[in-house]
Structure formats: structure tokens, C-alpha cells
């Protein structure tokens, strides 16, 4: 473990990037270390501490993929089934073909679906501070999400390219519920939470907008400049239309996140266990484990640098990590960033959480560099 090096990164994240509070939870075999910087609450000044509940953002994609792979292992479906096998006609509009797009395509972000996270139907609700305050407690139904998923034409054919799209995971969740007759929450609890003994992990009910205690307050500056047309925002130009830096963050702790794939709440400690099991292959059978970690290039998808994408998970490109295989799960949205990275055997892992959204990939990369002794892409 490199407690001093990781703590130095956490301190810089607060002083240089104005992140309100940040934690890193590390496990290396039987050894554990927890570090923090900044605060959990800008008003009271209370510190960050171990065991805080937080939303894992797009880390929920890994939970959805795990359930589907477990169902495949039981012979109840194949991840190479066309979507139309389970959701007839849902994809047959606006240029999509549900007979050609498979479950594997959905989970690997290679379906050709557009970048659903930038859909105006979603971003217009939260695009500016004023819009966020109007809509923060308004949920989106499954039908709303599935309509939004096919509301724009494809960006390519199935399997042609990587494009990070939440919509594929909304469809994947619907497949799970169709095959099992159960909710995603029930399947995640049965197949992941209970087998791994994750006592602080659950799927947030659609109507819930809060967290159990303890939890940090969440703060955001992830808003467009006044006058921005959400329909004109693309994966290529979104950074250029964001608010000017230096504005005070908005408290976004209470927020309806029913549109986030998986909608999973957890802690850094639980995520060390979950990602260690997924990386090391102790949760899924061998064939499904290999499928999860068979990765595609993300170079054309405007996503995290130096990474390849599997099924709901990512690996750092070994050319960027001095040949060390590092596997991860993570995501970011208004008021939250949550990433967990593990060695391939699951024995050595670090879980990082901030109570604001993505500010710079360097925060994650520098924590990984300090803890695992590699130089990410440098």
C-alpha cells in the first residue's frame, strides 16, 4: 500500500480542483487503509468518514451485466440473443433493428444506440440550475426510458463501434425483468448482494431520493451555460457549453435517479468486495467471467482515456499501465463520482468516491498510479 502517495492525491483534489470531499478505500490482501480529504458537508464542515452511502452511478451497469451473465449460465438466455427475442418490436424504430442488436451489444456499448445520456428529453430536465431545481424530484418510467433510448437514429451498425449509451442498459434491465418475472432489485439482491455479503448495497426504489446515514452531501456544477440548446449538445462539444468555472456548487443530494442504470447505492467498502469478486472471477462461472472481460476499444466513443470496455466493466489498456491488468467499475453524474479498480486476481483494489461529479480523469489516474505503482498513459 502507498498511503502517503494516495493521501497526497486526495489532498490535491480538494485544494486544486475544488472537490468538496473525497475518500479512497484500499484493500491489499488482508490489509486495509482508508484516506479522506475535504468535507462531507460544506455547511457544517463535517469530515468524510468510512462507511458512507453514495450512489455508484454507472457502476450499476456492472450489476446489470452480472445478472444477465448469471442467467446465461443457468441456460435461461444467451447474451447473443437478439433483443427482439425478449422485447419484440421495442427496438424496431428510427433505424434500429432488434433482430440484429444482441444483449451482448447492449452490455458492451456496441449496439449503435446514440449517447442516451445526452438526450434532450433527459438533459433539458437538469441542463441548467433552474431546470434542475424544477425537476430534481421527477422520475422517469421504464416506458419513458425505452422511448428515449430509440428517440434518435443509430450512430452505427451493431458491433461497428463503441458509443457509451445508458439506453442499452435500460433495455438490458427490461430483459432481466421479462426473463425472470422479478424486479432488477430482487435479482441483484439474490445474485450479488447476498452471495457477497454486501450489507450496505441495494437498488434504490424509483421514488426514493435520499440516502441512509451516514452519507455525504452531494454538490454539482455540472450545468450548461444559460441559453444552451440541449438538442445541440453532442459527445464532442458538451464540455464547451458547460458553466464557467468558479461558480458555487449547488447541493444536489436529494435527487430522483430512477434513470441511472441499476440505480445502486453502496459504500466504498462494499464496492471493494464486489469489484474484487468480478475482477477475480469468484462470482460468475468461467465462461461468463471471460465474456465479461472480453473488451473492445473505446477510442471512438468519447469516453475515459486509456480504457477498454467489457460487459458493464472496463479494463485499463495494459500498454498504459506498464503491462499490469487493472479492472474496474465506475461512473459519474450530478454530485457524484465513484470508481473502483482492482488487480485481475481481485486481491488488491482501491475504491474512490467524491461528493461532486467528474472534474478531471487525473484524480482517478493519479490514485491508480500511486496505489498500484504504474503510470497511466504517461
Amino acid at each position: 500500500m502507498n498511503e502517503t502517495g494516495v493521501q497526497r492525491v486526495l489532498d490535491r483534489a480538494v485544494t486544486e480542483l475544488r472537490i468538496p470531499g473525497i475518500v479512497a478505500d484500499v484493500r491489499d490482501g488482508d490489509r486495509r487503509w482508508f484516506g479522506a480529504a475535504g468535507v462531507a458537508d460544506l455547511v457544517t464542515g463535517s469530515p468524510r468518514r468510512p462507511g458512507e452511502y453514495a450512489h455508484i452511478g454507472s457502476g450499476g451497469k456492472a450489476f446489470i451485466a452480472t445478472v444477465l451473465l448469471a442467467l446465461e449460465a443457468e441456460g435461461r438466455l444467451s447474451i447473443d440473443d437478439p433483443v427482439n427475442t425478449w422485447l419484440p418490436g421495442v427496438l424496431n424504430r428510427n433505424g434500429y433493428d432488434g433482430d440484429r442488436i444482441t444483449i451482448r451489444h447492449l452490455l458492451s456499448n456496441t449496439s449503435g444506440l446514440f449517447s442516451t445520456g445526452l438526450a434532450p428529453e433527459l438533459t433539458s430536465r437538469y441542463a441548467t440550475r433552474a431546470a434542475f431545481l424544477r425537476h430534481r424530484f421527477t422520475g422517469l418510467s421504464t416506458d419513458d426510458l425505452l422511448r428515449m433510448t430509440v428517440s434518435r437514429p443509430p450512430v452505427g451498425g451493431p458491433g461497428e463501434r463503441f458509443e457509451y449509451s445508458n439506453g442499452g442498459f435500460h433495455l438490458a434491465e427490461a430483459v432481466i425483468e421479462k426473463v425472470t418475472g422479478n424486479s432488477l432489485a430482487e435479482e441483484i439482491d439474490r445474485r450479488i448482494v447476498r452471495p457477497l455479503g454486501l450489507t450496505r448495497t441495494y437498488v434504490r426504489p424509483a421514488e426514493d431520493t435520499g440516502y441512509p446515514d451516514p452519507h455525504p452531501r452531494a454538490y454539482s456544477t455540472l450545468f450548461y451555460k444559460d441559453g444552451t440548446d440541449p438538442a445541440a449538445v453532442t459527445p464532442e462539444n458538451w464540455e464547451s457549453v458547460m458553466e464557467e468555472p468558479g461558480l458555487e456548487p449547488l447541493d444536489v443530494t436529494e435527487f430522483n435517479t430512477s434513470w441511472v442504470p441499476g440505480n445502486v447505492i453502496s459504500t466504498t467498502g462494499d464496492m471493494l468486495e464486489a469489484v474484487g469478486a468480478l475482477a477475480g472471477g469468484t462470482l460468475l462461472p468461467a465462461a461468463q467471467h471471460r465474456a465479461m472481460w472480453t473488451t473492445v476499444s473505446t477510442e471512438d466513443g468519447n469516453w475515459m482515456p486509456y480504457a477498454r470496455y467489457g460487459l458493464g466493466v472496463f479494463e485499463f489498456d495494459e500498454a498504459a499501465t506498464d503491462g499490469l491488468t487493472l479492472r474496474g467499475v465506475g461512473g459519474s453524474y450530478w454530485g457524484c463520482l465513484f470508481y473502483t479498480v482492482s488487480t485481475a486476481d481481485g486481491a488488491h483494489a482501491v475504491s474512490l468516491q467524491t461528493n461532486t461529479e467528474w472534474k478531471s480523469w487525473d484524480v482517478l489516474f493519479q490514485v491508480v498510479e500511486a496505489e498500484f505503482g504504474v503510470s497511466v498513459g504517461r
Side-chain angles (χ1 to χ4, degrees):
M1 289 184 182
N2 184 3
E3 296 98 326
T4 301
V6 173
Q7 185 63 56
R8 190 177 299 120
V9 177
L10 304 184
D11 292 337
R12 283 202 304 265
V14 173
T15 58
E16 296 177 9
L17 294 176
R18 299 186 68 197
I19 289 173
I22 183 170
V23 299
D25 209 340
V26 183
R27 183 190 67 198
D28 188 0
D30 293 331
R31 295 184 298 158
R32 287 288 297 268
W33 178 81
F34 178 87
V39 298
D41 189 320
L42 287 171
V43 175
T44 67
S46 59
R48 299 295 309 261
R49 53 176 167 156
E52 292 171 324
Y53 289 91
H55 203 294
I56 70 170
S58 284
K61 292 180 171 72
F63 286 62
I64 292 171
T66 300
V67 171
L68 283 163
L69 287 165
L71 289 169
E72 179 182 70
E74 294 171 1
R76 299 177 68 179
L77 56 77
S78 167
I79 61 170
D80 291 314
D81 287 341
V83 174
N84 271 353
T85 301
W86 300 104
L87 304 174
V90 170
L91 271 177
N92 292 350
R93 62 193 71 185
N94 218 359
Y96 296 100
D97 185 348
D99 287 324
R100 295 182 59 220
I101 298 173
T102 67
I103 296 171
R104 188 191 299 267
H105 289 139
L106 301 180
L107 300 180
S108 61
N109 286 309
T110 60
S111 63
L113 289 165
F114 78 105
S115 185
T116 325
L118 294 176
E121 297 92 328
L122 179 66
T123 57
S124 62
R125 293 168 175 253
Y126 315 116
T128 64
R129 293 178 182 239
F132 186 95
L133 291 171
R134 283 196 304 272
H135 297 291
R136 67 188 302 167
F137 298 121
T138 304
L140 288 166
S141 69
T142 297
D143 287 344
D144 291 334
L145 294 171
L146 295 183
R147 280 194 298 269
M148 184 175 70
T149 295
V150 293
S151 63
R152 301 292 182 277
V155 297
E160 286 183 0
R161 55 168 290 180
F162 175 90
E163 182 76 19
Y164 198 73
S165 179
N166 288 345
F169 289 85
H170 299 319
L171 287 160
E173 179 177 344
V175 170
I176 289 169
E177 296 185 348
K178 182 69 174 291
V179 172
T180 65
N182 299 323
S183 68
L184 177 66
E186 291 172 307
E187 290 297 316
I188 285 177
D189 185 67
R190 184 163 73 89
R191 298 176 182 277
I192 303 172
V193 171
R194 281 187 278 164
L196 295 180
L198 306 180
T199 59
R200 291 172 171 257
T201 301
Y202 66 96
V203 173
R204 173 188 268 174
E207 68 281 359
D208 193 356
T209 61
Y211 298 90
D213 286 326
H215 67 270
R217 303 300 297 176
Y219 301 97
S220 182
T221 56
L222 189 65
F223 303 105
Y224 296 158
K225 299 171 185 174
D226 287 339
T228 299
D229 177 6
V233 179
T234 69
E236 291 74 30
N237 72 7
W238 69 270
E239 289 185 76
S240 68
V241 302
M242 300 309 294
E243 278 188 339
E244 299 298 336
L247 295 179
E248 288 300 313
L250 181 69
D251 189 322
V252 296
T253 311
E254 288 74 33
F255 179 22
N256 188 298
T257 55
S258 56
W259 51 271
V260 180
N263 206 13
V264 175
I265 307 298
S266 190
T267 65
T268 54
D270 268 15
M271 287 303 292
L272 288 175
E273 298 301 323
V275 176
L278 291 176
T282 59
L283 189 59
L284 289 169
Q288 283 68 40
H289 176 70
R290 286 193 299 272
M292 171 170 270
W293 296 103
T294 299
T295 60
V296 298
S297 171
T298 66
E299 289 182 5
D300 297 328
N302 296 289
W303 197 59
M304 184 170 69
Y306 314 121
R308 297 178 60 84
Y309 203 82
L311 302 185
V313 296
F314 69 87
E315 273 189 355
F316 282 111
D317 190 326
E318 291 186 0
T321 57
D322 306 325
L324 179 65
T325 299
L326 292 175
R327 294 172 166 171
V329 166
S332 181
Y333 75 105
W334 287 268
C336 180
L337 177 142
F338 204 140
Y339 274 81
T340 307
V341 176
S342 172
T343 52
D345 61 3
H348 187 184
V350 58
S351 192
L352 176 77
Q353 200 276 337
T354 71
N355 57 347
T356 193
E357 61 274 347
W358 170 89
K359 296 294 185 185
S360 166
W361 289 120
D362 279 349
V363 177
L364 173 62
F365 294 165
Q366 289 171 11
V367 166
V368 169
E369 290 171 359
E371 182 54 35
F372 296 102
V374 298
S375 299
V376 180
R378 300 175 195 276

